[in-house]
Amino acid sequence: MTFLDELLQVPPRERDAWVDRRLGFGELPDDGPDLPAGAVPYLPSAVEEILAMVRELPLRAEDELVDIGSGAGRAVILANLLSGARARGIEVQAGLVKLARERAEALSLREVSFVHANAADLELEGSVFFLYAPANGELLTRVVKRLEAAAKRRRIAVCTVALELRGQPWLRPRRTSCETLTIYESV
């Protein structure tokens, strides 16, 4: 039985807790002093949002998912387990990166990695980008500019939870079955 088969047998309201138990996520550390102005404190993405992204994109093994503001790594790890896609998290809080790396290592996930950095300062590479409201204000503006630069190099998808990227002529939005998830495709 695949991980997806197991997950789908769990009632939707119980999936977040089941995934956290199954993947070994315990207590999360408090947000640390390295949270920059404009960054949003960590809250894990819901399993239903990640599942909708994986299925409705669809996310494939040949894709590379980049989670901007990856926190403890739930979206990165789950997306990899559900699709086989390479997955990378970028997170500014060192304690969360440490936890995410420990979980990926404990699960022997070789196609998963985590970078301790501010995504607004990096050249972003990947085919699919996941953002669960990682920032606001000037910091978010800088991240969106980095995504636009990536879209000039290749077609990308940007999947957002609780974040609308209005006024971006280089993105075309697509609604999903999940009320809080929007998939944008670069044009």
Side-chain angles (χ1 to χ4, degrees):
M1 179 178 292
T2 69
F3 186 86
L4 176 59
D5 293 332
E6 288 180 47
L7 176 61
L8 293 176
Q9 289 184 358
V10 177
R13 289 183 178 195
E14 298 173 21
R15 289 179 181 166
D16 287 346
W18 181 86
V19 164
D20 286 348
R21 279 191 310 275
R22 180 79 159 65
L23 300 182
F25 286 108
E27 290 270 328
L28 297 176
D30 292 330
D31 291 314
D34 49 355
L35 188 65
V40 176
Y42 176 63
L43 290 171
S45 301
V47 169
E48 291 306 300
E49 295 160 343
I50 301 163
L51 183 58
M53 174 191 61
V54 168
R55 295 172 110 183
E56 294 181 37
L57 263 172
L59 189 64
R60 303 170 311 242
E62 58 268 23
D63 285 318
E64 180 176 5
L65 171 79
V66 178
D67 182 3
I68 297 174
S70 59
R74 181 197 270 181
V76 171
I77 290 170
L78 190 54
N80 171 264
L81 289 170
L82 294 173
S83 70
R86 288 185 323 269
R88 181 168 25 114
I90 301 171
E91 174 57 50
V92 72
Q93 296 191 68
L96 293 173
V97 173
K98 181 179 183 291
L99 177 61
R101 287 175 178 163
E102 288 170 357
R103 286 295 81 226
E105 185 177 326
L107 295 164
S108 301
L109 300 177
R110 288 177 270 146
E111 296 293 323
V112 168
S113 63
F114 294 92
V115 177
H116 178 221
N118 185 331
D121 297 332
L122 298 177
E123 182 173 311
L124 299 175
E125 293 294 335
S127 58
V128 176
F129 295 87
F130 183 74
L131 292 85
Y132 174 26
N136 56 46
E138 177 58 30
L139 184 56
L140 179 60
T141 299
R142 290 175 48 215
V143 168
V144 172
K145 286 183 188 297
R146 295 292 186 171
L147 291 169
E148 183 178 14
K152 289 179 180 176
R153 294 187 297 276
R154 70 186 288 188
R155 289 183 58 89
I156 64 170
V158 180
C159 304
T160 66
V161 175
L163 175 68
E164 291 193 30
L165 298 176
R166 293 186 181 146
Q168 302 298 324
W170 56 277
L171 287 176
R172 183 181 60 227
R174 174 166 50 106
R175 283 282 167 214
T176 67
S177 64
C178 182
E179 187 176 308
T180 57
L181 176 72
T182 303
I183 296 174
Y184 296 88
E185 296 168 334
S186 64
V187 293

